[in-house]
Each structure stands twice: as structure tokens, then as C-alpha cells.
């Protein structure tokens, strides 16, 4: 699997590709995606400035930044700096997505990101931050009083990012989604580290936990099946990873699922027998996209859905 389509909805709004030659739709149901083509001579910060000149800055609620020219070569810091400069004129900006790119624009593991604490500091009213790409991503420990949805999509998430999150604070958090990825593309860390992340960030309002696209999905499932904090969730999402029968059996024996309504295990390596048992659990279990182990010279290999 690759990310082959641009985002179609974000922050409960329809995504529209921004065209500098057209007027900006003032509808509150629309969010604009700003993106450059490879042959564009302008810069993303210029595109942002031009868009904001047309938009009603006082009412703008969300914005998406796609490809900023050559995202495999230069990061998002300059684009974020333009948003930060404009922050005093954007009092109602509540949602930002930086890195909305398909694999044809830039593979997820190639996206050069940037440093996010200045952006978070500039927008204390922000409720949703979504980041795609982990290459040169910098997350320093932060405290943000209003973030409700926090997502990092990565082909390989560094343990430095998880350590920073384990020292951060988001007291209103409802949705925490991290794509851990593969160690072939930069993942480092273990269950103990993510146990610390959850212990720090699992506020009473947390309803969705996604530890997705993970090469340690079995280990995560073994832990989470016995983790009391899971009992407050509506959705546990372990999709896109390498979970197999070890994780499935742990879930079947789990006693901490509380009020869970949905368990997503899509893109899995679970046997048919254990799939049938999982379907009998008293909540929705999603088992789409079954995979089979690869074998080579006696070695068994499994792959996350989104790596490179």
C-alpha cells in the first residue's frame, strides 16, 4: 500500500485544491489545500501569503499544505514560518495539516519535515495538528491546552519523537494517532517507550488511540490487551502494521477493553482461525486486507503497509 490519493476531508470539511487564478470560496465547509508542482517557480510561503490575501483571515478555520516544491530536499520550516508570521491575523485557525502528499509527489519516508514547537506556540487555540513525514521531523516537549487531535504519519518514527511526546502535555486530547513504521525507514523504539507516551497523554477525554503502520504490532497488542487505559477508548487502531497470531491471541485473552466499540486490525497477518474468533468479540473488529508472510532462505518477513 502507498498513499495514492490526496486527502478529501479534513477537520470535517471538504478539501479543495487552491488555484491562485480563482476566487476563494468563503464557505465554512471548505478547507483549501495549498500545493506546488515540481516546475512551479514560486515558493510555498508566497503561495500561502497570496491565499491569505484572498481569504477572510478572521474566519479561516483550517488549512492544508501539500508539496512545497522539492519536499525530499528541503523542509517545511519556511512554510511554517509564513503561517507563524500571519498568526495574529488568524484568530480562528483551528486545524493544520502539513505534508498532504501522495507517493507520486513524494514518498512518505522522503518528506523532509521541520520543527513544530514554534508553530504550536504561535497557535495556542489550535485543536488539530496532522503531520505527514518523519524525515528531519523535530518535536520538542511542549504543552498545548487546546489540541484535541494530534497525528504523525511516518514510514519510520524516531524514538526521539516518542520521547518528546512522553514529556509533553495535551490535556484536551481526544485523538492520538502515530504511524510507527518500519526500522528500515527510521523507526526506533519499543513497547516500554510507547507505554510512557500513553501514560503521559491518555487524558480522560482520549477516545481514539492509533499506533498504526507498526513493525512491532504484535508486541503492542500484547501490551494493550492488558493496559487499563484502553478501557476508556471508543477506538483502538493497530491497522497497517504486522500484527499476527501472537497479537490476536493476546487480544482474545484481553480483559481491558472496557467500552471499546471498534478495533481496527486492517493489513494483518492473522490466521483464518483466529480471525473467526476475533469476529466473535463484543465490538467491531476490522480485519480487511489480510497478508501472508514472505519467506526467503528460511527467514520469515512481514511488512508494514506504508514504509518507503
Amino acid at each position: 500500500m502507498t498513499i495514492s490519493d490526496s486527502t478529501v476531508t479534513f477537520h470535517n470539511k471538504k478539501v479543495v485544491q487552491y488555484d491562485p487564478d480563482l476566487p476563494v470560496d468563503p464557505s465554512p465547509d471548505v478547507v483549501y489545500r495549498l500545493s506546488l508542482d515540481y516546475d512551479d517557480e514560486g515558493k510555498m510561503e508566497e503561495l500561502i501569503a497570496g491565499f491569505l490575501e484572498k481569504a477572510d483571515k478572521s474566519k479561516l478555520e483550517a488549512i492544508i499544505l501539500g508539496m512545497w516544491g522539492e519536499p525530499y530536499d528541503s523542509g517545511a520550516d519556511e512554510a511554517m514560518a509564513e503561517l507563524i508570521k500571519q498568526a495574529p491575523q488568524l484568530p480562528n485557525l483551528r486545524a493544520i495539516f502539513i505534508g498532504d502528499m501522495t507517493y507520486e509527489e513524494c514518498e512518505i519516508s522522503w518528506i523532509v519535515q521541520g520543527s513544530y514547537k514554534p508553530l504550536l506556540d504561535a497557535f495556542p487555540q489550535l485543536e488539530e495538528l496532522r503531520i505527514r513525514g518523519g524525515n528531519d521531523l523535530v518535536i520538542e516537549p511542549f504543552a498545548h491546552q487546546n489540541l484535541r487531535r494530534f497525528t504523525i504519519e511516518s514510514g519510520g518514527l524516531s524514538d526521539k519523537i516518542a520521547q518528546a511526546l512522553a514529556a509533553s502535555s495535551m490535556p484536551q486530547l481526544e485523538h492520538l494517532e502515530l504511524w510507527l513504521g518500519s526500522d528500515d525507514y527510521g523507526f526506533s523504539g519499543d513497547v516500554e517507550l510507547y507505554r510512557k507516551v500513553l501514560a503521559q497523554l491518555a487524558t480522560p477525554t482520549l477516545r481514539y488511540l492509533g499506533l498504526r503502520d507498526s513493525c512491532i504490532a504484535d508486541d503492542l497488542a500484547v501490551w494493550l490487551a492488558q493496559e487499563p487505559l484502553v478501557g476508556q477508548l471508543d477506538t483502538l487502531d493497530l491497522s497497517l502494521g504486522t500484527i499476527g497470531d501472537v497479537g490476536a491471541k493476546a487480544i482474545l485473552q484481553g480483559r481491558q477493553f472496557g467500552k471499546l466499540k471498534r478495533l481496527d486490525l486492517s493489513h494483518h497477518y492473522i490466521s483464518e482461525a483466529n480471525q473467526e474468533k476475533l469476529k466473535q468479540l463484543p465490538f467491531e473488529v476490522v480485519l480487511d486486507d489480510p497478508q501472508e508472510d514472505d519467506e526467503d532462505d528460511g527467514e520469515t518477513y512481514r511488512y508494514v503497509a506504508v514504509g518507503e
Side-chain angles (χ1 to χ4, degrees):
M1 171 185 163
T2 55
I3 298 174
S4 55
D5 297 309
S6 297
T7 303
V8 296
T9 60
F10 176 62
H11 202 61
N12 296 319
K13 302 176 188 295
K14 176 185 176 182
V15 177
V16 174
Q17 182 68 32
Y18 173 59
D19 184 338
D21 296 327
L22 297 176
V24 170
D25 186 342
S27 169
D29 298 324
V30 164
V31 54
Y32 275 94
R33 177 180 184 265
L34 281 59
S35 183
L36 296 173
D37 292 328
Y38 284 112
D39 55 357
D40 284 340
E41 296 182 358
K43 297 181 178 180
M44 176 59 88
E45 53 268 34
E46 296 170 343
L47 191 67
I48 294 170
F51 167 72
L52 293 177
E53 285 180 4
K54 294 182 178 182
D56 186 342
K57 291 192 282 286
S58 68
K59 296 181 179 179
L60 189 70
E61 295 182 359
I63 191 170
I64 298 173
L65 303 186
M67 194 168 69
W68 46 82
E70 297 181 342
Y72 50 83
D73 192 43
S74 59
D77 283 324
E78 291 184 0
M80 286 192 282
E82 181 63 30
L83 289 177
I84 291 167
K85 184 175 74 174
Q86 300 269 4
Q89 301 177 67
L90 300 169
N92 286 305
L93 189 63
R94 295 292 183 267
I96 300 174
F97 178 9
I98 296 182
D100 183 23
M101 304 175 210
T102 68
Y103 78 95
E104 291 180 332
E105 293 171 311
C106 189
E107 297 280 9
I108 192 170
S109 67
W110 298 5
I111 298 172
V112 180
Q113 266 293 341
S115 179
Y116 276 81
K117 191 171 186 300
L119 186 77
L120 289 165
D121 290 343
F123 292 98
Q125 300 304 316
L126 197 67
E127 296 177 358
E128 180 168 4
L129 178 62
R130 183 175 172 186
I131 301 165
R132 179 172 294 163
N135 191 10
D136 289 346
L137 174 63
V138 178
I139 301 288
E140 300 175 67
F142 65 88
H144 198 289
Q145 298 304 307
N146 290 296
L147 272 175
R148 287 167 169 76
R149 297 177 64 91
F150 184 86
T151 301
I152 301 175
E153 301 172 359
S154 169
L157 198 63
S158 166
D159 58 351
K160 294 180 181 178
I161 304 300
Q163 289 164 2
L165 292 175
S168 296
S169 173
M170 293 179 272
Q172 302 300 320
L173 195 63
E174 300 170 2
H175 178 112
L176 176 63
E177 181 176 348
L178 304 172
W179 294 23
L180 278 59
S182 165
D183 49 16
D184 290 333
Y185 295 101
F187 169 74
S188 54
D190 54 23
V191 166
E192 187 57 36
L193 178 54
Y194 284 90
R195 191 192 306 271
K196 293 176 182 177
V197 171
L198 184 60
Q200 178 67 14
L201 297 181
T203 65
T205 57
L206 189 69
R207 293 295 176 265
Y208 171 99
L209 174 64
L211 297 177
R212 307 180 68 195
D213 198 48
S214 175
C215 63
I216 60 167
D218 270 331
D219 295 338
L220 293 172
V222 170
W223 156 47
L224 291 167
Q226 303 300 326
E227 172 55 62
L229 287 171
V230 171
Q232 73 178 53
L233 301 176
D234 292 334
T235 300
L236 176 61
D237 191 343
L238 300 177
S239 64
L240 308 182
T242 59
I243 190 169
D245 283 339
V246 170
K249 290 176 182 178
I251 290 167
L252 290 166
Q253 297 168 5
R255 296 291 184 269
Q256 299 295 340
F257 293 115
K259 63 171 190 172
L260 195 70
K261 297 176 181 177
R262 189 171 193 267
L263 173 64
D264 194 338
L265 303 177
S266 303
H267 187 277
H268 62 84
Y269 293 79
I270 300 170
S271 66
E272 291 186 5
N274 281 320
Q275 288 183 57
E276 291 304 314
K277 293 177 183 178
L278 288 167
K279 292 175 184 178
Q280 303 306 311
L281 290 172
F283 43 79
E284 179 187 9
V285 181
V286 184
L287 291 162
D288 298 341
D289 196 18
Q291 305 291 309
E292 294 185 0
D293 292 342
D294 278 353
E295 294 188 6
D296 185 23
D297 289 336
E299 296 289 335
T300 299
Y301 298 94
R302 294 179 181 177
Y303 303 96
V304 299
V306 183
E308 184 178 11

